[in-house]
Amino acid sequence: MLLWFVIGYWIISVAIGLIASLKVHNTKDFAIAGRHLPFYMVVATVFATWFGAETVLGVPATFLGENMRGIVADPFGSSLCLIFVGLFFAAPLYKMKLLTIGDFYKKRYGRTAEVMTTLAIVVSYLGWVGAQIAALGLVFNIVSDGAISQTTGMWIGSMTILIYTFFGGMWAVAVTDLIQMIIIVIGMLYIGGEVSELAGGVGTVVQHARDAGKFEFWPSADMKDIIAFAAAAMTMMLGSMPQQDVFQRVQSAKTIKYAVWGSVLGGSLYFIFAFVPMFLAYSATLIDPDMVAKNMGEGGDPQMILPQLVLTHAPLFAQVMFFGALLSAIKSCASATLLAPSVSFSENILKPMMPHMSDKKLLKLMRFVTLGFTIVVTLYAVNSELSIFSMVENAYQVTLVSAFIPLAFGVYWKRATNQGALCAIFVGLIVWIGSILFAGDDPFIPSQFAGLIASFFGMIIGSLVPQYIKHNHAIHDELHSGKHGHESFDEPKAI
């Protein structure tokens, strides 16, 4: 029964995505839904994109093992990322009327910066999308009672999601995200009610967690712990900002206010609902402590605690609701993060090599790059030994050390130059890689934090010293004077 439900739900989701593809007529429709999304769809697609496999499976497993302190990256850092993007970056980026986040680096800093940041962004998606594909394989293996291997499940999941993403692009992603957000909210709240009854009520579970020290959040007074805590938070909070999937949600909104407040509200809802899977997983320690101990012990898999709890202790309808919500979470996240790097690579790496390409041919190129990226990321997921949470947390280190500082300074510091941006990118990457290779397994300053600091000083020094790299003042002056299509808005025109 459960397997047939999954199959039926999968077919319906693909059909809805294909119907949405009828709205795609050009690259703007494919990449950013023609900038036509209403407010409720912006909120839904922001929420659903982040509410993925790591939220349902990875974060609860980490919470059980490392307490609240262990999840500072997600959901704390990730939700703050969306809120800060809405408050500080959505308006200026929306006004520029760009197709990709890489276009910002091109207009602000030139072609070299565009290529470097785009490649970093594309590489970062391997971990993020790989986590979703790995979770799909896990779900198919569970609901089929082992008849479908995890590897086969990964390929089935990635190829079926590819179908509607290939044809429908951002329109298909947005429409399916709306439906999947509804299913996630209803499913998680329903199964939360069922599990809380088995555990003796919400108050009993919360009190038990408090007594066990699970709500310990802040690091100790030791400087090394403080730096590690800050680095973990910044990896998701800042490293996720210069990402195409976040940028697409801003650019897809119908108005600038929808872009700003859709991101803020979507991030806030994500933060609230991310605690439901944690509550469910901790309830298992009261309902089935032997199962929890087995999965938390050597050779166990903490990510299996929540699925096993539902399968062994919940009625069939509750199982259907839970796995429906889980599949919705994974599908919405996977489809968006398959699309984002494919669009960026096509627009910012391949298109400039073929300057006379028509929009129709570029649309075809974007679709076939999406196909190629899907195959690559599925192979990565199949061969990766990292946990879902680790794949996601590690994904954004490369963008943190190379792309965040040029983005923030490009928007808010007029004196940022091409030379400063390139220094920030190269120095950040070199220090980050060097720290990974030579600083040992437990350095005093985590490698991504060291790379971020180096990128910061690279931007400052590179922009203030004599300029040896050509700096196009005309383009930068236009960015700060509010041109590039800003005139159609009533908002202040200075970036």
Side-chain angles (χ1 to χ4, degrees):
M1 287 284 293
L2 186 58
L3 179 59
W4 282 111
F5 161 76
V6 170
I7 294 172
Y9 173 72
W10 212 253
I11 293 172
I12 293 172
S13 298
V14 172
I16 292 171
L18 289 175
I19 292 171
S21 70
L22 297 175
K23 291 179 174 288
V24 177
H25 305 291
N26 51 49
T27 54
K28 188 177 179 181
D29 291 335
F30 187 81
I32 53 175
R35 291 167 68 101
H36 290 312
L37 294 187
F39 181 70
Y40 65 90
M41 290 189 74
V42 176
V43 173
T45 193
V46 169
F47 170 88
T49 300
W50 283 89
F51 204 100
E54 74 292 344
T55 312
V56 181
L57 300 176
V59 171
T62 304
F63 170 68
L64 290 179
E66 303 178 25
N67 303 333
M68 194 78 77
R69 187 183 302 121
I71 57 170
V72 61
D74 190 11
F76 290 93
S78 54
S79 56
L80 284 173
C81 165
L82 296 173
I83 293 170
F84 288 162
V85 165
L87 294 176
F88 301 112
F89 294 97
L93 291 177
Y94 189 89
K95 291 174 185 177
M96 293 177 70
K97 293 187 175 182
L98 307 173
L99 195 65
T100 68
I101 187 68
D103 290 342
F104 169 82
Y105 294 102
K106 178 181 180 180
K107 287 182 178 294
R108 190 66 174 85
Y109 301 119
R111 173 64 177 162
T112 304
E114 173 195 19
V115 172
M116 292 295 296
T117 52
T118 298
L119 289 176
I121 290 167
V122 170
V123 169
S124 73
Y125 277 101
L126 282 175
W128 181 260
V129 189
Q132 313 312 313
I133 301 302
L136 283 175
L138 182 65
V139 172
F140 276 111
N141 179 257
I142 292 171
V143 299
S144 68
D145 197 22
I148 300 175
S149 69
Q150 289 194 33
T151 299
T152 302
M154 290 183 198
W155 284 107
I156 293 173
S158 62
M159 290 299 111
T160 48
I161 290 174
L162 170 67
I163 293 173
Y164 68 79
T165 307
F166 182 91
F167 291 104
M170 188 60 196
W171 266 117
V173 170
V175 172
T176 53
D177 277 357
L178 176 62
I179 296 170
Q180 287 157 356
M181 176 183 172
I182 295 171
I183 295 174
I184 289 169
V185 171
I186 295 175
M188 283 295 162
L189 290 178
Y190 178 82
I191 193 66
E194 290 286 318
V195 170
S196 66
E197 288 186 11
L198 293 172
V202 175
T204 300
V205 176
V206 172
Q207 186 60 49
H208 193 280
R210 181 182 291 111
D211 294 341
K214 290 299 175 183
F215 294 152
E216 294 177 358
F217 179 72
W218 298 107
S220 66
D222 181 74
M223 183 56 67
K224 182 178 180 181
D225 288 344
I226 294 173
I227 293 174
F229 181 86
M234 289 179 182
T235 300
M236 289 289 285
M237 182 170 58
L238 305 182
S240 302
M241 287 185 184
Q243 288 290 344
Q244 178 63 15
D245 59 315
V246 175
F247 175 84
Q248 280 177 312
R249 272 119 202 89
V250 170
Q251 292 296 312
S252 298
K254 195 172 184 178
T255 70
I256 194 169
K257 289 183 179 179
Y258 292 174
V260 172
W261 296 110
S263 183
V264 171
L265 182 55
S268 301
L269 289 174
Y270 170 76
F271 180 76
I272 294 170
F273 276 93
F275 284 91
V276 178
M278 282 187 272
F279 168 81
L280 297 175
Y282 192 79
S283 297
T285 62
L286 280 72
I287 299 169
D288 195 343
D290 292 337
M291 181 270 289
V292 173
K294 181 179 178 182
N295 279 291
M296 293 297 294
E298 186 176 351
D301 185 359
Q303 296 172 147
M304 289 294 296
I305 290 174
L306 190 48
Q308 286 184 4
L309 173 70
V310 174
L311 285 173
T312 55
H313 294 280
L316 179 61
F317 184 72
Q319 294 178 24
V320 168
M321 294 298 291
F322 170 77
F323 284 101
L326 176 56
L327 286 170
S328 295
I330 298 170
K331 282 167 62 65
S332 61
C333 193
S335 59
T337 48
L338 281 175
L339 177 66
S342 305
V343 169
S344 291
F345 191 77
S346 302
E347 170 72 11
N348 300 111
I349 302 298
L350 299 180
K351 180 185 174 182
M353 300 178 183
M354 297 169 275
H356 303 295
M357 180 186 298
S358 66
D359 188 77
K360 187 175 181 179
K361 289 184 178 179
L362 179 59
L363 177 58
K364 289 182 178 179
L365 178 64
M366 286 181 177
R367 283 172 166 159
F368 282 104
V369 171
T370 304
L371 170 63
F373 187 78
T374 303
I375 294 172
V376 170
V377 79
T378 306
L379 289 171
Y380 171 80
V382 168
N383 292 285
S384 177
E385 296 181 357
L386 294 175
S387 69
I388 292 171
F389 187 85
S390 296
M391 276 195 275
V392 171
E393 188 177 23
N394 293 335
Y396 294 118
Q397 291 189 17
V398 63
T399 45
L400 175 69
V401 304
S402 62
F404 171 72
I405 293 297
L407 172 65
F409 278 70
V411 173
Y412 286 105
W413 194 39
K414 189 174 181 178
R415 297 184 67 181
T417 66
N418 296 5
Q419 180 172 290
L422 293 178
C423 286
I425 295 168
F426 283 107
V427 173
L429 286 171
I430 290 171
V431 171
W432 174 59
I433 295 171
S435 179
I436 292 174
L437 294 177
F438 303 112
D441 295 332
D442 189 26
F444 184 81
I445 299 178
S447 56
Q448 73 270 31
F449 194 58
L452 176 65
I453 295 171
S455 180
F456 173 84
F457 285 106
M459 171 62 79
I460 298 293
I461 296 171
S463 296
L464 295 181
V465 300
Q467 301 296 295
Y468 297 99
I469 298 177
K470 185 178 180 181
H471 178 69
N472 192 329
H473 292 279
I475 291 178
H476 296 164
D477 289 343
E478 288 177 9
L479 288 172
H480 287 287
S481 66
K483 295 184 180 181
H484 293 289
H486 296 207
E487 293 82 352
S488 59
F489 301 98
D490 295 328
E491 317 295 332
K493 294 185 177 183
I495 298 180

